[in-house]
Each structure stands twice: as C-alpha cells, then as structure tokens.
Amino acid sequence: MGRNLIETIMGAVVLAVAAFFLVFAYTHANIAKIEGYTLTATFTSVGGLDTGADVKINGIKVGTVLSQTLDPQSYDAVVKLSIAHGIKLPDDTVASISSEGLLGGKFVKLAPGKSTTMLAADAALGPTKNFKSIEEMVGNLIFLATADNQPPAAAKGAAPETPAQK
C-alpha cells in the first residue's frame, strides 16, 4: 500500500513540474498574436514565410503576419500584417523578408523611413525588398566565379582561335 502511494505522489509531482515548464515556456516565448491595425505589403517572393510569423523592427517584435494571398493580375504575393497600436510607421517604411539564421524561420523586417506622414490602417507599404534564398545567392556566386575564369573570346561567344589562325 505504501509503495503505490509514493508512486502516485511522484507522478503528481512530475505532472506539476511539466505543467510549470509549459506555462513558463508559453509566457516567455512571445508567440502571442499581436492585435493592432493592418497593413499590406506586396512581394514577388515570400520564400517560405508562414502565416503567424513575426513582424520586427530592429529585432523587436511589433506585429504578426495575418495572411498571404496571390494577386491574380500580377501574381505577386500580398502579405497582410497586423502592427501593434502603439507603433506608428512612416509612409516610406521598407518591408523585407529575412530569416533568423540558416535554419531559422522567416519574418517580415520593417525599416522605418524618415517621412513625417504616417501610414493609416489598411494602407499598403510602398517599397519592398524581395527575398533571396541561400540557394539563389550561392548560384549567383558560382556563376560570378566561373564567368571570371573564361577567356574573353569565349565569354563573348566567339569561337576560340586555332593554332593555324595565328
């Protein structure tokens, strides 16, 4: 009888500690959706951005990605953002998609401009910077490295000279 009571008490302690860690992780993970006014940004590529991703200014979370849709005319990605009420953004704010390291998730990075005119609710962010994946950047680097090693005649598309032509 005493052994079952000890096992029951230890099980309850383990469950209480697990519940404490879950509550602690949830309150400190900053995963809550930020309620505020909405803005839209248009990108040619979102590169794996998820709905619910963070919107940050200088590394500080100021909003959340609400939705992503495809513009049927231009085939651009239209991203709807929720920005906290206390954050007023100038109308020349630039939006870009960035990643948190090589394996980290994607987020929308806002770079506020110097304009004195502020964006209203449901406005569209003007300029955006398109996302470049690491594969694209490595491909461009390889292309640039191999283009420099070719002789000038071959690079222009001309046929190489034979010894008889010299």
Short mmCIF file of all heavy atoms in Angstrom, two decimals, residues 93-151:
data_model
loop_
_atom_site.label_atom_id
_atom_site.label_comp_id
_atom_site.label_asym_id
_atom_site.label_seq_id
_atom_site.Cartn_x
_atom_site.Cartn_y
_atom_site.Cartn_z
N THR A 93 8.30 53.49 -45.12
CA THR A 93 8.83 52.29 -44.47
C THR A 93 9.05 51.20 -45.52
O THR A 93 8.20 50.97 -46.38
CB THR A 93 7.86 51.80 -43.39
OG1 THR A 93 7.72 52.82 -42.41
CG2 THR A 93 8.36 50.52 -42.74
N VAL A 94 10.20 50.55 -45.45
CA VAL A 94 10.55 49.47 -46.39
C VAL A 94 10.37 48.13 -45.69
O VAL A 94 10.87 47.92 -44.58
CB VAL A 94 12.00 49.63 -46.88
CG1 VAL A 94 12.38 48.48 -47.80
CG2 VAL A 94 12.18 50.96 -47.58
N ALA A 95 9.66 47.21 -46.33
CA ALA A 95 9.45 45.87 -45.80
C ALA A 95 10.31 44.88 -46.58
O ALA A 95 10.45 44.98 -47.80
CB ALA A 95 7.98 45.47 -45.92
N SER A 96 10.90 43.93 -45.86
CA SER A 96 11.67 42.86 -46.50
C SER A 96 11.44 41.58 -45.71
O SER A 96 11.00 41.62 -44.56
CB SER A 96 13.16 43.20 -46.55
OG SER A 96 13.68 43.36 -45.25
N ILE A 97 11.73 40.46 -46.34
CA ILE A 97 11.61 39.18 -45.66
C ILE A 97 13.01 38.71 -45.33
O ILE A 97 13.89 38.70 -46.18
CB ILE A 97 10.86 38.16 -46.55
CG1 ILE A 97 9.44 38.67 -46.77
CG2 ILE A 97 10.85 36.79 -45.89
CD1 ILE A 97 8.62 37.84 -47.70
N SER A 98 13.19 38.36 -44.09
CA SER A 98 14.50 37.96 -43.60
C SER A 98 14.37 36.62 -42.88
O SER A 98 13.27 36.17 -42.60
CB SER A 98 15.04 39.03 -42.66
OG SER A 98 16.38 38.79 -42.34
N SER A 99 15.50 36.00 -42.59
CA SER A 99 15.46 34.73 -41.86
C SER A 99 16.32 34.83 -40.61
O SER A 99 17.27 35.60 -40.56
CB SER A 99 15.93 33.58 -42.75
OG SER A 99 17.28 33.75 -43.09
N GLU A 100 15.97 34.03 -39.64
CA GLU A 100 16.70 34.00 -38.38
C GLU A 100 17.80 32.94 -38.48
O GLU A 100 17.68 31.87 -37.92
CB GLU A 100 15.75 33.70 -37.23
CG GLU A 100 14.68 34.75 -37.08
CD GLU A 100 13.73 34.48 -35.93
OE1 GLU A 100 14.16 33.84 -34.95
OE2 GLU A 100 12.59 34.88 -36.03
N GLY A 101 18.86 33.23 -39.21
CA GLY A 101 19.96 32.29 -39.38
C GLY A 101 19.68 31.30 -40.49
O GLY A 101 18.70 31.39 -41.21
N LEU A 102 20.57 30.31 -40.63
CA LEU A 102 20.44 29.33 -41.71
C LEU A 102 19.22 28.44 -41.55
O LEU A 102 18.55 28.10 -42.50
CB LEU A 102 21.70 28.47 -41.79
CG LEU A 102 22.95 29.17 -42.32
CD1 LEU A 102 24.14 28.24 -42.23
CD2 LEU A 102 22.73 29.63 -43.74
N LEU A 103 18.94 28.02 -40.33
CA LEU A 103 17.84 27.09 -40.10
C LEU A 103 16.63 27.74 -39.45
O LEU A 103 15.65 27.08 -39.17
CB LEU A 103 18.33 25.93 -39.22
CG LEU A 103 19.48 25.11 -39.80
CD1 LEU A 103 19.93 24.06 -38.81
CD2 LEU A 103 19.09 24.48 -41.11
N GLY A 104 16.70 29.04 -39.19
CA GLY A 104 15.62 29.72 -38.50
C GLY A 104 14.45 30.02 -39.42
O GLY A 104 14.52 29.89 -40.63
N GLY A 105 13.36 30.43 -38.81
CA GLY A 105 12.16 30.78 -39.56
C GLY A 105 12.27 32.14 -40.22
O GLY A 105 13.17 32.93 -39.94
N LYS A 106 11.34 32.41 -41.10
CA LYS A 106 11.30 33.69 -41.81
C LYS A 106 10.43 34.67 -41.04
O LYS A 106 9.52 34.29 -40.33
CB LYS A 106 10.72 33.50 -43.21
CG LYS A 106 11.37 32.41 -44.03
CD LYS A 106 12.75 32.78 -44.45
CE LYS A 106 13.37 31.79 -45.40
NZ LYS A 106 13.82 30.56 -44.83
N PHE A 107 10.72 35.96 -41.18
CA PHE A 107 9.92 37.01 -40.59
C PHE A 107 9.96 38.23 -41.49
O PHE A 107 10.80 38.34 -42.37
CB PHE A 107 10.40 37.35 -39.16
CG PHE A 107 11.77 37.95 -39.09
CD1 PHE A 107 11.95 39.32 -39.09
CD2 PHE A 107 12.90 37.14 -39.03
CE1 PHE A 107 13.22 39.88 -39.02
CE2 PHE A 107 14.17 37.68 -38.95
CZ PHE A 107 14.33 39.05 -38.96
N VAL A 108 9.03 39.14 -41.28
CA VAL A 108 8.99 40.39 -42.05
C VAL A 108 9.77 41.43 -41.25
O VAL A 108 9.49 41.68 -40.08
CB VAL A 108 7.55 40.86 -42.30
CG1 VAL A 108 7.54 42.20 -43.02
CG2 VAL A 108 6.78 39.82 -43.08
N LYS A 109 10.74 42.03 -41.92
CA LYS A 109 11.58 43.05 -41.30
C LYS A 109 11.16 44.41 -41.85
O LYS A 109 11.11 44.60 -43.06
CB LYS A 109 13.04 42.75 -41.65
CG LYS A 109 14.04 43.73 -41.10
CD LYS A 109 15.43 43.30 -41.51
CE LYS A 109 16.47 44.28 -41.07
NZ LYS A 109 17.81 43.89 -41.54
N LEU A 110 10.85 45.32 -40.95
CA LEU A 110 10.45 46.67 -41.35
C LEU A 110 11.57 47.64 -41.04
O LEU A 110 12.16 47.61 -39.96
CB LEU A 110 9.18 47.11 -40.61
CG LEU A 110 7.92 46.28 -40.86
CD1 LEU A 110 6.78 46.83 -40.02
CD2 LEU A 110 7.56 46.27 -42.33
N ALA A 111 11.87 48.50 -42.01
CA ALA A 111 12.87 49.56 -41.83
C ALA A 111 12.15 50.89 -41.99
O ALA A 111 11.89 51.33 -43.12
CB ALA A 111 13.98 49.42 -42.85
N PRO A 112 11.78 51.53 -40.88
CA PRO A 112 11.06 52.80 -40.98
C PRO A 112 11.90 53.88 -41.64
O PRO A 112 13.10 53.97 -41.45
CB PRO A 112 10.78 53.17 -39.52
CG PRO A 112 10.93 51.89 -38.76
CD PRO A 112 11.94 51.09 -39.50
N GLY A 113 11.23 54.70 -42.44
CA GLY A 113 11.90 55.79 -43.13
C GLY A 113 11.89 57.06 -42.30
O GLY A 113 11.65 57.04 -41.09
N LYS A 114 12.13 58.18 -42.95
CA LYS A 114 12.23 59.49 -42.27
C LYS A 114 11.04 60.40 -42.53
O LYS A 114 11.04 61.54 -42.09
CB LYS A 114 13.52 60.19 -42.72
CG LYS A 114 14.78 59.41 -42.47
CD LYS A 114 15.07 59.30 -41.00
CE LYS A 114 16.39 58.58 -40.78
NZ LYS A 114 16.53 58.09 -39.44
N SER A 115 10.04 59.92 -43.24
CA SER A 115 8.89 60.76 -43.57
C SER A 115 8.11 61.16 -42.31
O SER A 115 8.09 60.42 -41.33
CB SER A 115 7.97 60.00 -44.52
OG SER A 115 6.80 60.75 -44.78
N THR A 116 7.47 62.31 -42.37
CA THR A 116 6.65 62.76 -41.25
C THR A 116 5.19 62.32 -41.41
O THR A 116 4.42 62.42 -40.48
CB THR A 116 6.71 64.29 -41.11
OG1 THR A 116 6.30 64.88 -42.34
CG2 THR A 116 8.11 64.75 -40.75
N THR A 117 4.84 61.81 -42.59
CA THR A 117 3.49 61.31 -42.84
C THR A 117 3.44 59.85 -42.41
O THR A 117 4.26 59.03 -42.83
CB THR A 117 3.14 61.42 -44.33
OG1 THR A 117 3.34 62.76 -44.76
CG2 THR A 117 1.70 61.01 -44.58
N MET A 118 2.47 59.51 -41.56
CA MET A 118 2.35 58.16 -41.03
C MET A 118 1.33 57.35 -41.84
O MET A 118 0.39 57.91 -42.42
CB MET A 118 1.94 58.19 -39.56
CG MET A 118 2.93 58.88 -38.67
SD MET A 118 4.51 58.04 -38.70
CE MET A 118 5.60 59.32 -38.12
N LEU A 119 1.52 56.03 -41.86
CA LEU A 119 0.61 55.14 -42.55
C LEU A 119 -0.68 54.99 -41.75
O LEU A 119 -0.65 54.84 -40.53
CB LEU A 119 1.24 53.76 -42.73
CG LEU A 119 2.37 53.65 -43.75
CD1 LEU A 119 3.09 52.32 -43.62
CD2 LEU A 119 1.82 53.81 -45.16
N ALA A 120 -1.80 54.99 -42.44
CA ALA A 120 -3.10 54.77 -41.80
C ALA A 120 -3.41 53.27 -41.80
O ALA A 120 -2.74 52.48 -42.47
CB ALA A 120 -4.18 55.53 -42.57
N ALA A 121 -4.41 52.89 -41.05
CA ALA A 121 -4.84 51.49 -41.02
C ALA A 121 -5.29 51.07 -42.42
O ALA A 121 -5.85 51.86 -43.18
CB ALA A 121 -5.98 51.31 -40.03
N ASP A 122 -5.03 49.84 -42.79
CA ASP A 122 -5.36 49.23 -44.08
C ASP A 122 -4.60 49.84 -45.25
O ASP A 122 -5.00 49.69 -46.40
CB ASP A 122 -6.87 49.28 -44.35
CG ASP A 122 -7.67 48.49 -43.33
OD1 ASP A 122 -7.19 47.41 -42.93
OD2 ASP A 122 -8.74 48.95 -42.92
N ALA A 123 -3.50 50.54 -44.98
CA ALA A 123 -2.67 51.11 -46.04
C ALA A 123 -1.72 50.04 -46.58
O ALA A 123 -1.54 48.98 -46.00
CB ALA A 123 -1.87 52.29 -45.50
N ALA A 124 -1.12 50.35 -47.71
CA ALA A 124 -0.15 49.45 -48.33
C ALA A 124 1.25 50.03 -48.14
O ALA A 124 1.47 51.23 -48.36
CB ALA A 124 -0.44 49.26 -49.81
N LEU A 125 2.17 49.18 -47.73
CA LEU A 125 3.57 49.60 -47.63
C LEU A 125 4.10 49.80 -49.04
O LEU A 125 3.85 48.98 -49.93
CB LEU A 125 4.39 48.54 -46.90
CG LEU A 125 4.14 48.44 -45.40
CD1 LEU A 125 4.76 47.18 -44.84
CD2 LEU A 125 4.71 49.64 -44.70
N GLY A 126 4.83 50.88 -49.25
CA GLY A 126 5.33 51.20 -50.59
C GLY A 126 6.41 50.25 -51.08
O GLY A 126 6.13 49.17 -51.58
N PRO A 127 7.65 50.61 -50.90
CA PRO A 127 8.71 49.77 -51.44
C PRO A 127 8.93 48.52 -50.58
O PRO A 127 8.83 48.56 -49.36
CB PRO A 127 9.94 50.68 -51.39
CG PRO A 127 9.65 51.66 -50.31
CD PRO A 127 8.16 51.84 -50.29
N THR A 128 9.19 47.41 -51.25
CA THR A 128 9.54 46.17 -50.55
C THR A 128 10.80 45.60 -51.19
O THR A 128 11.07 45.84 -52.37
CB THR A 128 8.42 45.12 -50.64
OG1 THR A 128 8.16 44.82 -52.01
CG2 THR A 128 7.16 45.59 -49.95
N LYS A 129 11.57 44.87 -50.40
CA LYS A 129 12.75 44.17 -50.92
C LYS A 129 12.39 42.70 -51.03
O LYS A 129 11.85 42.11 -50.09
CB LYS A 129 13.94 44.36 -49.99
CG LYS A 129 14.47 45.76 -49.96
CD LYS A 129 15.70 45.84 -49.09
CE LYS A 129 16.23 47.26 -49.04
NZ LYS A 129 17.39 47.37 -48.15
N ASN A 130 12.71 42.12 -52.16
CA ASN A 130 12.35 40.73 -52.41
C ASN A 130 13.29 39.77 -51.70
O ASN A 130 14.47 40.05 -51.52
CB ASN A 130 12.33 40.45 -53.91
CG ASN A 130 11.27 41.26 -54.60
OD1 ASN A 130 10.16 41.39 -54.10
ND2 ASN A 130 11.60 41.85 -55.72
N PHE A 131 12.74 38.62 -51.32
CA PHE A 131 13.50 37.61 -50.62
C PHE A 131 14.41 36.86 -51.58
O PHE A 131 13.99 36.48 -52.67
CB PHE A 131 12.56 36.61 -49.94
CG PHE A 131 13.26 35.52 -49.21
CD1 PHE A 131 13.87 35.77 -48.01
CD2 PHE A 131 13.32 34.24 -49.74
CE1 PHE A 131 14.53 34.77 -47.31
CE2 PHE A 131 13.97 33.24 -49.07
CZ PHE A 131 14.58 33.50 -47.85
N LYS A 132 15.66 36.68 -51.19
CA LYS A 132 16.60 35.86 -51.96
C LYS A 132 17.01 34.69 -51.10
O LYS A 132 17.53 34.87 -50.01
CB LYS A 132 17.84 36.69 -52.32
CG LYS A 132 17.75 37.33 -53.67
CD LYS A 132 19.13 37.70 -54.14
CE LYS A 132 19.12 37.61 -55.64
NZ LYS A 132 20.30 38.06 -56.26
N SER A 133 16.75 33.50 -51.60
CA SER A 133 17.10 32.31 -50.83
C SER A 133 18.60 32.08 -50.88
O SER A 133 19.31 32.62 -51.73
CB SER A 133 16.38 31.08 -51.39
OG SER A 133 16.89 30.76 -52.66
N ILE A 134 19.07 31.28 -49.97
CA ILE A 134 20.51 30.98 -49.91
C ILE A 134 20.95 30.25 -51.17
O ILE A 134 22.07 30.41 -51.62
CB ILE A 134 20.84 30.23 -48.62
CG1 ILE A 134 22.22 30.62 -48.14
CG2 ILE A 134 20.82 28.76 -48.77
CD1 ILE A 134 22.38 30.59 -46.68
N GLU A 135 20.05 29.44 -51.74
CA GLU A 135 20.38 28.71 -52.97
C GLU A 135 20.62 29.69 -54.12
O GLU A 135 21.53 29.51 -54.93
CB GLU A 135 19.26 27.73 -53.34
CG GLU A 135 19.10 26.58 -52.39
CD GLU A 135 18.17 26.91 -51.23
OE1 GLU A 135 17.59 28.03 -51.20
OE2 GLU A 135 18.05 26.07 -50.33
N GLU A 136 19.79 30.73 -54.22
CA GLU A 136 19.97 31.73 -55.27
C GLU A 136 21.29 32.49 -55.10
O GLU A 136 22.00 32.75 -56.07
CB GLU A 136 18.81 32.73 -55.25
CG GLU A 136 17.49 32.16 -55.70
CD GLU A 136 16.37 33.17 -55.56
OE1 GLU A 136 16.64 34.39 -55.50
OE2 GLU A 136 15.21 32.74 -55.50
N MET A 137 21.61 32.84 -53.85
CA MET A 137 22.85 33.58 -53.61
C MET A 137 24.08 32.73 -53.92
O MET A 137 25.04 33.22 -54.52
CB MET A 137 22.89 34.08 -52.16
CG MET A 137 21.90 35.19 -51.89
SD MET A 137 22.08 35.93 -50.29
CE MET A 137 21.18 34.79 -49.27
N VAL A 138 24.05 31.44 -53.56
CA VAL A 138 25.17 30.55 -53.87
C VAL A 138 25.28 30.37 -55.38
O VAL A 138 26.37 30.37 -55.94
CB VAL A 138 25.02 29.20 -53.14
CG1 VAL A 138 26.01 28.17 -53.65
CG2 VAL A 138 25.18 29.39 -51.64
N GLY A 139 24.14 30.23 -56.07
CA GLY A 139 24.15 30.10 -57.52
C GLY A 139 24.75 31.32 -58.20
O GLY A 139 25.54 31.20 -59.15
N ASN A 140 24.39 32.51 -57.73
CA ASN A 140 24.97 33.74 -58.29
C ASN A 140 26.47 33.81 -58.03
O ASN A 140 27.24 34.24 -58.90
CB ASN A 140 24.29 34.98 -57.70
CG ASN A 140 22.89 35.17 -58.21
OD1 ASN A 140 22.51 34.61 -59.23
ND2 ASN A 140 22.10 35.95 -57.49
N LEU A 141 26.89 33.39 -56.85
CA LEU A 141 28.32 33.40 -56.52
C LEU A 141 29.09 32.43 -57.42
O LEU A 141 30.16 32.78 -57.93
CB LEU A 141 28.52 33.02 -55.05
CG LEU A 141 29.94 33.05 -54.54
CD1 LEU A 141 30.48 34.47 -54.57
CD2 LEU A 141 29.99 32.50 -53.13
N ILE A 142 28.54 31.26 -57.65
CA ILE A 142 29.20 30.28 -58.53
C ILE A 142 29.25 30.82 -59.95
O ILE A 142 30.26 30.69 -60.64
CB ILE A 142 28.48 28.92 -58.46
CG1 ILE A 142 28.71 28.29 -57.09
CG2 ILE A 142 28.95 27.99 -59.57
CD1 ILE A 142 27.89 27.05 -56.84
N PHE A 143 28.16 31.43 -60.41
CA PHE A 143 28.14 32.00 -61.76
C PHE A 143 29.21 33.08 -61.91
O PHE A 143 29.93 33.12 -62.91
CB PHE A 143 26.76 32.57 -62.07
CG PHE A 143 26.68 33.25 -63.40
CD1 PHE A 143 26.64 32.51 -64.57
CD2 PHE A 143 26.68 34.63 -63.48
CE1 PHE A 143 26.59 33.14 -65.80
CE2 PHE A 143 26.63 35.27 -64.70
CZ PHE A 143 26.58 34.52 -65.87
N LEU A 144 29.31 33.97 -60.92
CA LEU A 144 30.32 35.03 -60.99
C LEU A 144 31.73 34.47 -60.95
O LEU A 144 32.62 34.96 -61.65
CB LEU A 144 30.12 36.03 -59.85
CG LEU A 144 28.88 36.91 -59.96
CD1 LEU A 144 28.70 37.72 -58.69
CD2 LEU A 144 28.96 37.81 -61.17
N ALA A 145 31.95 33.44 -60.15
CA ALA A 145 33.29 32.86 -60.04
C ALA A 145 33.70 32.14 -61.32
O ALA A 145 34.86 32.21 -61.74
CB ALA A 145 33.34 31.89 -58.86
N THR A 146 32.76 31.48 -61.98
CA THR A 146 33.12 30.77 -63.21
C THR A 146 33.19 31.71 -64.40
O THR A 146 33.91 31.44 -65.35
CB THR A 146 32.11 29.64 -63.51
OG1 THR A 146 30.80 30.20 -63.59
CG2 THR A 146 32.16 28.58 -62.44
N ALA A 147 32.45 32.82 -64.39
CA ALA A 147 32.49 33.76 -65.51
C ALA A 147 33.84 34.47 -65.58
O ALA A 147 34.30 34.82 -66.67
CB ALA A 147 31.36 34.78 -65.38
N ASP A 148 34.51 34.68 -64.47
CA ASP A 148 35.80 35.37 -64.46
C ASP A 148 36.94 34.49 -64.97
O ASP A 148 37.97 34.99 -65.39
CB ASP A 148 36.15 35.84 -63.05
CG ASP A 148 35.24 36.98 -62.61
OD1 ASP A 148 34.63 37.61 -63.51
OD2 ASP A 148 35.15 37.23 -61.41
N ASN A 149 36.78 33.17 -64.96
CA ASN A 149 37.86 32.26 -65.35
C ASN A 149 37.85 31.93 -66.84
O ASN A 149 38.72 31.21 -67.30
CB ASN A 149 37.76 30.96 -64.54
CG ASN A 149 38.04 31.21 -63.07
OD1 ASN A 149 38.73 32.15 -62.72
ND2 ASN A 149 37.50 30.36 -62.22
N GLN A 150 36.89 32.43 -67.59
CA GLN A 150 36.84 32.13 -69.01
C GLN A 150 37.63 33.18 -69.78
O GLN A 150 37.65 34.35 -69.42
CB GLN A 150 35.39 32.12 -69.49
CG GLN A 150 34.58 31.00 -68.89
CD GLN A 150 33.15 31.04 -69.38
OE1 GLN A 150 32.74 31.96 -70.09
NE2 GLN A 150 32.38 30.04 -69.01
N PRO A 151 38.25 32.77 -70.90
CA PRO A 151 38.96 33.76 -71.73
C PRO A 151 37.95 34.73 -72.35
O PRO A 151 36.80 34.39 -72.55
CB PRO A 151 39.65 32.92 -72.81
CG PRO A 151 39.18 31.54 -72.64
CD PRO A 151 38.41 31.43 -71.37
#
